[in-house]
Amino acid sequence: MIVLVLPDGPDPFEIKLESGVSRGEVVEVIEGSTVTFSVETQSHPPPAYTWFLPYDSIPPPTMSSFAIQAVSREHEGTYRCLVSNGATHLLRLGALTVRVLETLTKPHIVPPSLNLVENASSVALTCQTPHEGAGVLCLLRGQALLPSDHLVLSADNRSLVIHGLRRDDTGPYECEVWNWGSRARSEPFRLAMSYGPDRVDITSGSAPGVVGTVEAELNSSLTLRCRAESQPGAEFHWTLEQSTAVHAGQVLIIRALTWEHQGIYGCTASNPLTQLARSASVRVRVVGPQSSLSAGAIGGIAIGILAVIALSAGLGCFLYIRNARRFSREKAEDPIQEAATPTSEEEPHAESCSNWLSPMYANLPKTQGQVGVKKMLPPAPPEQFYEKEPPSVTPENDSHGPRKPSPEVTLDPLVPTLPKGNAESHYEVLLCHPESLDRSRAVTNLLLPP
């Protein structure tokens, strides 16, 4: 039986590409991979194949398929294949566009050039990559970054703007480039941001936690430490309220405590980049077996006592001089007092201030058989107010008759009577005698420390 086969074809066809991914009319292949082009169609007799390549590095193939080893960017372009049947004189043309994707390399985050300060700066981060067609993904702490009013991404995700920097915006940040065949991620990047100092805390080596008051033994050592959260690290300075000295450093050490170390110590932490400063204080109390009064307080008390003694001495001498002058004037004005002369038994002692309390005389009326002026005596029994000299005998009174008492001496009520004993008062002895001054100096020596 004879079968008659008529010429036919070629039928319509498509160029196929292995190891590629179709993106609409474009097929993407990975740089460095091996790709194979092929055509399948029905034709009788078998057709002829003619390939038109976008490059001239190899002669055009004449088979239904061919391969390219280690494809590169120069292999990009449109590949065409012409299929023809000599018997039917039909021609078919197929075409395919190829894009070669580079092997992705690590991108790089471009850091800002300004010094960043918390709450005072805005910053832009850029993901830098040579792969124009690659996709970009931004990540924060390993997770895809979600855009917001605070974190604003550009349309191509290659730029990130952070408005109003906060402390938790330091990162780390990463950007990733990708295509269907490979991915590459940048190194983590952290923002260098200045902030603080925050609250200042003072601790003591002898007490746990933050302290506001510290008690330490006299002559013992004391260590105070100041701390504050700050970036960069804060600078610390110590001061004492009653002193102008300033100690620089985070730790203040006093080797041997004295009473002068008591007081309120202040610690100030400052950040030169943020221009901020914070401070705190602690009260230090020194305790010990000695008196709580300092040497200065004891000296002040002693000086006060000396001032009182000196004031008393000055007042006493002033009163003495005034009374002596008054007595001299009265004696000069009263002729009776000028005629009256004390006996040797009543003569006062010759001392520098003994005349301050000298006996005073009263002007008495003259009577027969009496002395015109009588010295005032200390208080005595009533019989001492009579004259001890016997009155003259008259014819009416003989020696055997009763003795008539002498007229009573009348004392001037304005003249004070003197106490028995030494005519000098104790106050005169304290103020005017040299030995009283010696005793005051002895008291002073006891109060003042050596």
Short mmCIF file of all heavy atoms in Angstrom, two decimals, residues 84-134:
data_model
loop_
_atom_site.label_atom_id
_atom_site.label_comp_id
_atom_site.label_asym_id
_atom_site.label_seq_id
_atom_site.Cartn_x
_atom_site.Cartn_y
_atom_site.Cartn_z
N SER A 84 12.14 27.43 8.39
CA SER A 84 11.67 27.44 6.99
C SER A 84 11.52 26.01 6.46
O SER A 84 12.23 25.11 6.86
CB SER A 84 12.64 28.22 6.10
OG SER A 84 13.93 27.61 6.12
N ASN A 85 10.52 25.84 5.54
CA ASN A 85 10.28 24.55 4.91
C ASN A 85 10.44 24.77 3.41
O ASN A 85 9.68 25.52 2.79
CB ASN A 85 8.88 24.05 5.23
CG ASN A 85 8.65 22.62 4.77
OD1 ASN A 85 9.27 22.16 3.80
ND2 ASN A 85 7.74 21.92 5.47
N GLY A 86 11.44 24.12 2.81
CA GLY A 86 11.71 24.31 1.39
C GLY A 86 10.63 23.73 0.51
O GLY A 86 10.42 24.20 -0.60
N ALA A 87 9.93 22.70 0.99
CA ALA A 87 8.90 22.09 0.17
C ALA A 87 7.64 22.94 0.14
O ALA A 87 6.96 23.05 -0.90
CB ALA A 87 8.57 20.69 0.69
N THR A 88 7.30 23.48 1.25
CA THR A 88 6.08 24.30 1.33
C THR A 88 6.37 25.77 1.12
O THR A 88 5.44 26.58 0.98
CB THR A 88 5.42 24.14 2.70
OG1 THR A 88 6.30 24.56 3.71
CG2 THR A 88 5.04 22.66 2.91
N HIS A 89 7.65 26.12 1.24
CA HIS A 89 8.10 27.50 1.12
C HIS A 89 7.48 28.40 2.22
O HIS A 89 7.28 29.58 2.01
CB HIS A 89 7.78 28.07 -0.28
CG HIS A 89 8.39 27.29 -1.39
ND1 HIS A 89 9.75 27.30 -1.68
CD2 HIS A 89 7.83 26.43 -2.33
CE1 HIS A 89 10.00 26.52 -2.70
NE2 HIS A 89 8.83 25.95 -3.11
N LEU A 90 7.22 27.76 3.39
CA LEU A 90 6.70 28.53 4.53
C LEU A 90 7.84 28.90 5.47
O LEU A 90 8.77 28.12 5.68
CB LEU A 90 5.64 27.72 5.27
CG LEU A 90 4.33 27.45 4.51
CD1 LEU A 90 3.41 26.56 5.38
CD2 LEU A 90 3.63 28.76 4.16
N LEU A 91 7.67 30.10 6.09
CA LEU A 91 8.66 30.61 7.05
C LEU A 91 7.94 30.97 8.35
O LEU A 91 6.86 31.57 8.34
CB LEU A 91 9.36 31.85 6.51
CG LEU A 91 10.17 31.68 5.21
CD1 LEU A 91 10.69 33.03 4.76
CD2 LEU A 91 11.34 30.73 5.42
N ARG A 92 8.59 30.61 9.48
CA ARG A 92 8.08 30.99 10.83
C ARG A 92 9.22 31.64 11.58
O ARG A 92 10.37 31.19 11.55
CB ARG A 92 7.61 29.75 11.60
CG ARG A 92 6.45 28.98 10.94
CD ARG A 92 5.17 29.77 11.05
NE ARG A 92 4.05 28.97 10.49
CZ ARG A 92 2.80 29.42 10.42
NH1 ARG A 92 2.51 30.62 10.85
NH2 ARG A 92 1.86 28.64 9.87
N LEU A 93 8.87 32.75 12.36
CA LEU A 93 9.89 33.50 13.10
C LEU A 93 9.44 33.59 14.54
O LEU A 93 8.31 34.00 14.83
CB LEU A 93 10.10 34.89 12.51
CG LEU A 93 11.16 35.75 13.18
CD1 LEU A 93 12.55 35.13 13.02
CD2 LEU A 93 11.14 37.18 12.64
N GLY A 94 10.31 33.23 15.44
CA GLY A 94 10.05 33.36 16.87
C GLY A 94 11.10 34.27 17.52
O GLY A 94 12.22 34.35 17.07
N ALA A 95 10.72 34.93 18.63
CA ALA A 95 11.65 35.86 19.30
C ALA A 95 11.49 35.72 20.83
O ALA A 95 10.41 35.41 21.36
CB ALA A 95 11.38 37.29 18.88
N LEU A 96 12.62 36.00 21.54
CA LEU A 96 12.64 35.93 23.02
C LEU A 96 13.67 36.95 23.54
O LEU A 96 14.81 36.97 23.10
CB LEU A 96 13.01 34.52 23.48
CG LEU A 96 13.09 34.32 25.00
CD1 LEU A 96 11.71 34.49 25.64
CD2 LEU A 96 13.65 32.94 25.33
N THR A 97 13.20 37.78 24.50
CA THR A 97 14.10 38.78 25.13
C THR A 97 14.65 38.21 26.44
O THR A 97 13.89 37.72 27.30
CB THR A 97 13.36 40.09 25.40
OG1 THR A 97 12.87 40.60 24.16
CG2 THR A 97 14.29 41.10 26.06
N VAL A 98 15.94 38.33 26.58
CA VAL A 98 16.63 37.77 27.75
C VAL A 98 17.30 38.90 28.55
O VAL A 98 17.95 39.77 27.96
CB VAL A 98 17.67 36.72 27.32
CG1 VAL A 98 18.45 36.22 28.54
CG2 VAL A 98 17.02 35.57 26.58
N ARG A 99 17.10 38.85 29.88
CA ARG A 99 17.78 39.78 30.80
C ARG A 99 18.65 38.97 31.74
O ARG A 99 18.18 38.02 32.38
CB ARG A 99 16.77 40.58 31.59
CG ARG A 99 17.40 41.57 32.58
CD ARG A 99 16.35 42.27 33.38
NE ARG A 99 15.50 43.09 32.50
CZ ARG A 99 14.30 43.52 32.85
NH1 ARG A 99 13.80 43.20 34.03
NH2 ARG A 99 13.60 44.25 32.02
N VAL A 100 19.86 39.37 31.84
CA VAL A 100 20.82 38.68 32.69
C VAL A 100 20.91 39.42 34.02
O VAL A 100 21.26 40.61 34.07
CB VAL A 100 22.20 38.57 32.03
CG1 VAL A 100 23.18 37.87 32.97
CG2 VAL A 100 22.10 37.81 30.71
N LEU A 101 20.59 38.72 35.07
CA LEU A 101 20.66 39.30 36.42
C LEU A 101 22.03 39.02 37.02
O LEU A 101 22.49 37.88 37.05
CB LEU A 101 19.57 38.71 37.32
CG LEU A 101 18.13 38.90 36.83
CD1 LEU A 101 17.16 38.25 37.81
CD2 LEU A 101 17.81 40.37 36.64
N GLU A 102 22.65 40.11 37.51
CA GLU A 102 23.97 39.96 38.09
C GLU A 102 23.89 39.18 39.40
O GLU A 102 22.86 39.17 40.09
CB GLU A 102 24.58 41.33 38.37
CG GLU A 102 24.84 42.15 37.11
CD GLU A 102 25.33 43.54 37.45
OE1 GLU A 102 24.81 44.12 38.41
OE2 GLU A 102 26.24 44.01 36.75
N THR A 103 24.98 38.58 39.76
CA THR A 103 25.09 37.96 41.07
C THR A 103 25.14 39.08 42.12
O THR A 103 26.01 39.95 42.07
CB THR A 103 26.34 37.08 41.17
OG1 THR A 103 26.27 36.08 40.15
CG2 THR A 103 26.43 36.44 42.54
N LEU A 104 24.22 39.07 43.06
CA LEU A 104 24.08 40.18 44.01
C LEU A 104 25.24 40.19 44.99
O LEU A 104 25.67 39.16 45.52
CB LEU A 104 22.75 40.09 44.74
CG LEU A 104 21.51 40.17 43.83
CD1 LEU A 104 20.25 40.04 44.67
CD2 LEU A 104 21.50 41.47 43.05
N THR A 105 25.73 41.39 45.25
CA THR A 105 26.76 41.60 46.27
C THR A 105 26.13 42.37 47.45
O THR A 105 25.05 42.95 47.34
CB THR A 105 27.93 42.41 45.70
OG1 THR A 105 27.44 43.65 45.19
CG2 THR A 105 28.62 41.62 44.58
N LYS A 106 26.85 42.38 48.56
CA LYS A 106 26.32 43.04 49.76
C LYS A 106 26.14 44.52 49.53
O LYS A 106 27.04 45.21 49.05
CB LYS A 106 27.27 42.83 50.95
CG LYS A 106 27.19 41.46 51.58
CD LYS A 106 28.08 41.41 52.81
CE LYS A 106 27.95 40.08 53.52
NZ LYS A 106 28.75 40.04 54.76
N PRO A 107 24.98 45.04 49.91
CA PRO A 107 24.79 46.50 49.85
C PRO A 107 25.49 47.16 51.04
O PRO A 107 26.01 46.51 51.95
CB PRO A 107 23.28 46.67 49.90
CG PRO A 107 22.82 45.48 50.68
CD PRO A 107 23.75 44.37 50.34
N HIS A 108 25.45 48.48 51.07
CA HIS A 108 26.14 49.24 52.12
C HIS A 108 25.23 50.40 52.55
O HIS A 108 24.64 51.08 51.72
CB HIS A 108 27.46 49.80 51.58
CG HIS A 108 28.15 50.74 52.51
ND1 HIS A 108 28.69 50.34 53.71
CD2 HIS A 108 28.38 52.08 52.41
CE1 HIS A 108 29.24 51.38 54.32
NE2 HIS A 108 29.05 52.45 53.55
N ILE A 109 25.11 50.60 53.87
CA ILE A 109 24.31 51.71 54.40
C ILE A 109 25.22 52.91 54.58
O ILE A 109 26.24 52.85 55.27
CB ILE A 109 23.64 51.33 55.74
CG1 ILE A 109 22.65 50.18 55.53
CG2 ILE A 109 22.93 52.54 56.33
CD1 ILE A 109 21.96 49.74 56.80
N VAL A 110 24.86 54.01 53.94
CA VAL A 110 25.65 55.23 54.03
C VAL A 110 25.29 55.93 55.33
O VAL A 110 24.14 56.32 55.55
CB VAL A 110 25.37 56.15 52.83
CG1 VAL A 110 26.20 57.43 52.94
CG2 VAL A 110 25.66 55.42 51.53
N PRO A 111 26.27 56.14 56.24
CA PRO A 111 25.97 56.77 57.54
C PRO A 111 25.82 58.27 57.38
O PRO A 111 26.34 58.87 56.44
CB PRO A 111 27.18 56.41 58.39
CG PRO A 111 28.30 56.29 57.40
CD PRO A 111 27.69 55.74 56.15
N PRO A 112 25.13 58.92 58.32
CA PRO A 112 25.01 60.39 58.29
C PRO A 112 26.34 61.03 58.68
O PRO A 112 27.16 60.44 59.38
CB PRO A 112 23.92 60.68 59.32
CG PRO A 112 23.97 59.52 60.25
CD PRO A 112 24.37 58.33 59.43
N SER A 113 26.54 62.25 58.22
CA SER A 113 27.79 62.95 58.48
C SER A 113 27.70 63.90 59.68
O SER A 113 28.71 64.49 60.07
CB SER A 113 28.20 63.76 57.25
OG SER A 113 27.20 64.70 56.90
N LEU A 114 26.53 64.08 60.28
CA LEU A 114 26.35 65.01 61.38
C LEU A 114 26.38 64.28 62.72
O LEU A 114 26.12 63.07 62.79
CB LEU A 114 25.02 65.75 61.24
CG LEU A 114 24.83 66.56 59.95
CD1 LEU A 114 23.43 67.15 59.92
CD2 LEU A 114 25.88 67.66 59.85
N ASN A 115 26.71 65.05 63.76
CA ASN A 115 26.58 64.52 65.12
C ASN A 115 25.11 64.52 65.51
O ASN A 115 24.43 65.55 65.45
CB ASN A 115 27.38 65.37 66.12
CG ASN A 115 28.87 65.25 65.90
OD1 ASN A 115 29.37 64.20 65.52
ND2 ASN A 115 29.60 66.33 66.14
N LEU A 116 24.62 63.38 65.90
CA LEU A 116 23.19 63.22 66.18
C LEU A 116 22.94 63.37 67.67
O LEU A 116 23.66 62.79 68.50
CB LEU A 116 22.71 61.85 65.70
CG LEU A 116 23.01 61.53 64.23
CD1 LEU A 116 22.50 60.14 63.88
CD2 LEU A 116 22.39 62.58 63.32
N VAL A 117 21.91 64.14 68.01
CA VAL A 117 21.54 64.39 69.40
C VAL A 117 20.08 64.00 69.57
O VAL A 117 19.24 64.31 68.72
CB VAL A 117 21.75 65.87 69.79
CG1 VAL A 117 21.32 66.12 71.23
CG2 VAL A 117 23.20 66.27 69.59
N GLU A 118 19.80 63.34 70.68
CA GLU A 118 18.44 62.90 70.96
C GLU A 118 17.47 64.08 70.97
O GLU A 118 17.76 65.13 71.55
CB GLU A 118 18.41 62.17 72.31
CG GLU A 118 17.05 61.62 72.68
CD GLU A 118 17.06 60.97 74.05
OE1 GLU A 118 17.94 61.31 74.86
OE2 GLU A 118 16.19 60.12 74.30
N ASN A 119 16.32 63.88 70.31
CA ASN A 119 15.21 64.84 70.28
C ASN A 119 15.55 66.11 69.51
O ASN A 119 14.72 67.02 69.46
CB ASN A 119 14.75 65.22 71.68
CG ASN A 119 14.25 64.03 72.46
OD1 ASN A 119 13.63 63.14 71.91
ND2 ASN A 119 14.53 64.01 73.75
N ALA A 120 16.74 66.22 68.95
CA ALA A 120 17.12 67.47 68.30
C ALA A 120 17.57 67.28 66.86
O ALA A 120 17.97 68.24 66.23
CB ALA A 120 18.23 68.15 69.09
N SER A 121 17.52 66.06 66.32
CA SER A 121 18.05 65.80 65.00
C SER A 121 17.11 64.92 64.19
O SER A 121 16.32 64.15 64.74
CB SER A 121 19.44 65.13 65.08
OG SER A 121 20.34 65.90 65.83
N SER A 122 17.22 65.05 62.85
CA SER A 122 16.61 64.12 61.91
C SER A 122 17.73 63.58 61.03
O SER A 122 18.71 64.28 60.75
CB SER A 122 15.55 64.81 61.04
OG SER A 122 14.45 65.20 61.83
N VAL A 123 17.61 62.33 60.58
CA VAL A 123 18.69 61.70 59.86
C VAL A 123 18.13 60.88 58.71
O VAL A 123 17.02 60.34 58.79
CB VAL A 123 19.52 60.80 60.80
CG1 VAL A 123 18.68 59.69 61.39
CG2 VAL A 123 20.74 60.24 60.10
N ALA A 124 18.90 60.78 57.61
CA ALA A 124 18.54 59.98 56.45
C ALA A 124 19.58 58.88 56.25
O ALA A 124 20.79 59.15 56.26
CB ALA A 124 18.44 60.84 55.20
N LEU A 125 19.13 57.65 56.08
CA LEU A 125 19.98 56.50 55.81
C LEU A 125 19.71 56.04 54.38
O LEU A 125 18.55 55.92 53.97
CB LEU A 125 19.72 55.37 56.80
CG LEU A 125 19.91 55.71 58.28
CD1 LEU A 125 19.57 54.50 59.16
CD2 LEU A 125 21.33 56.17 58.56
N THR A 126 20.78 55.72 53.65
CA THR A 126 20.66 55.31 52.25
C THR A 126 21.27 53.94 52.06
O THR A 126 22.39 53.68 52.54
CB THR A 126 21.36 56.31 51.31
OG1 THR A 126 20.79 57.60 51.52
CG2 THR A 126 21.20 55.90 49.86
N CYS A 127 20.52 53.06 51.37
CA CYS A 127 21.02 51.72 51.03
C CYS A 127 21.69 51.81 49.66
O CYS A 127 21.03 52.04 48.64
CB CYS A 127 19.87 50.72 51.01
SG CYS A 127 20.40 49.02 50.70
N GLN A 128 22.97 51.63 49.64
CA GLN A 128 23.76 51.79 48.41
C GLN A 128 24.07 50.43 47.81
O GLN A 128 24.64 49.56 48.48
CB GLN A 128 25.04 52.55 48.72
CG GLN A 128 25.81 53.03 47.50
CD GLN A 128 26.99 53.87 47.91
OE1 GLN A 128 27.90 53.38 48.59
NE2 GLN A 128 27.00 55.13 47.54
N THR A 129 23.69 50.22 46.51
CA THR A 129 23.94 48.96 45.81
C THR A 129 24.13 49.24 44.32
O THR A 129 23.47 50.14 43.77
CB THR A 129 22.80 47.97 46.01
OG1 THR A 129 23.05 46.78 45.26
CG2 THR A 129 21.47 48.55 45.61
N PRO A 130 25.00 48.49 43.61
CA PRO A 130 25.19 48.69 42.16
C PRO A 130 24.12 47.98 41.32
O PRO A 130 24.07 48.19 40.10
CB PRO A 130 26.58 48.10 41.91
CG PRO A 130 26.74 47.05 42.95
CD PRO A 130 26.00 47.55 44.16
N HIS A 131 23.29 47.19 41.93
CA HIS A 131 22.30 46.41 41.17
C HIS A 131 21.03 47.22 41.01
O HIS A 131 20.20 47.30 41.91
CB HIS A 131 22.02 45.09 41.89
CG HIS A 131 23.26 44.33 42.26
ND1 HIS A 131 24.13 43.82 41.32
CD2 HIS A 131 23.79 44.00 43.47
CE1 HIS A 131 25.15 43.22 41.91
NE2 HIS A 131 24.95 43.30 43.23
N GLU A 132 20.90 47.81 39.83
CA GLU A 132 19.79 48.71 39.58
C GLU A 132 18.45 47.98 39.60
O GLU A 132 17.45 48.50 40.08
CB GLU A 132 19.98 49.43 38.25
CG GLU A 132 21.20 50.33 38.19
CD GLU A 132 21.09 51.49 39.16
OE1 GLU A 132 19.96 51.88 39.51
OE2 GLU A 132 22.14 52.00 39.58
N GLY A 133 18.43 46.78 39.04
CA GLY A 133 17.15 46.08 38.93
C GLY A 133 16.79 45.27 40.15
O GLY A 133 15.73 44.64 40.19
N ALA A 134 17.64 45.28 41.15
CA ALA A 134 17.38 44.45 42.33
C ALA A 134 16.37 45.14 43.24
O ALA A 134 16.29 46.37 43.33
CB ALA A 134 18.67 44.17 43.08
#
